[in-house]
Amino acid sequence: MLNDIQKAAKLLIQARHAIAFTGAGISVESGIPPFRGEKGIWNKYDPQFLEIHYFFSHPQKSWEVILEIFYTHFEQSKPNPAHLILAELEKRGIIKALITQNIDNLHQEAGSQKVIEFHGNSKKIICVNCGKTFTTEVLNHSGFPWCPECKGLLKPDFVFFGEQIPAQALTDSFAHAKQADVVLVIGSTGEVFPAAQVPIEVHRNKGKVIEVNPGTSNFTYQITDIFLKGKAGEIMPILFDEINAQMDLT
Ligand code: NAD
């Protein structure tokens, strides 16, 4: 009898179109806390600072909190083994696309190429007036920054509460979800929609759902076929070793 790791490895190797779907949990071992849960960001900060209407009416206050959360603390974070293994699985053709809810750029830094950013990217800063984009070097870390080109208000290029999901990311994500026969879900509560609809769509199309999470999520009892309980940085190396072992046998 195969154990769950062996079954998950087999599903991934045999998949025609496997995709990965990641949430804040995959970056916890890189030192970035999730929003929810005991050590979550919302225990320290009010989510209103990330509401789009609040941002436009109180940009100074919003930027102070945004700088503290996303740029002062997390700027030095590095990809962990789970990010690196996903990049390697893509290189080997096992993972066809990676849809992430994260805005931390760690998948790209790990080497993943086919990353669909459902909620944008904090490493890109956009001027809401002229539309020019900048790297984080434009931030001066003392209050809110102005566009060097037109003096318009700058905004991190991630999706605030109350904002639309970028149209291309939405289209691409659901196109992959439609084709996928396996989705590897890592570190997501499944509470944030429409992102959570991606694995649900795979399940609806009769694809298999493999979930990696130290706790249960909204997916676990609803759509998950194989639940690999544990931290991403611990489970993914075990899964990767098993994939290698099974591939050596074939
Ligand atoms: P979440 O914060 O709602 O949930 C995190 C999930 O990760 C939980 O299910 C938790 O059990 C799990 N988890 C905790 N530690 C883990 C570990 N070591 N390995 C694997 N899983 C672990 O996250 P969410 O569902 O992704 O939704 C929050 C939204 O907030 C996201 O859509 C994202 O846009 C944003 N966010 C992004 C970052 C980031 O870019 N790193 C961080 C916080 C929030």
Side-chain angles (χ1 to χ4, degrees), residues 25-83:
I26 195 170
S27 296
V28 167
E29 288 152 277
S30 293
I32 306 179
F35 279 163
R36 296 171 175 75
E38 207 188 314
K39 294 188 184 137
I41 289 169
W42 297 152
N43 284 328
K44 188 163 171 211
Y45 299 98
D46 190 329
Q48 77 163 345
F49 295 117
L50 292 184
E51 276 166 14
I52 196 65
H53 296 301
Y54 186 90
F55 176 78
F56 282 121
S57 53
H58 304 81
Q60 174 84 39
K61 186 69 209 157
S62 234
W63 260 113
E64 271 171 31
V65 175
I66 289 167
L67 282 171
E68 197 177 317
I69 301 181
F70 296 103
Y71 300 101
T72 309
H73 293 334
F74 305 151
E75 197 71 345
Q76 308 306 323
S77 301
K78 295 271 173 292
N80 67 52
H83 296 103

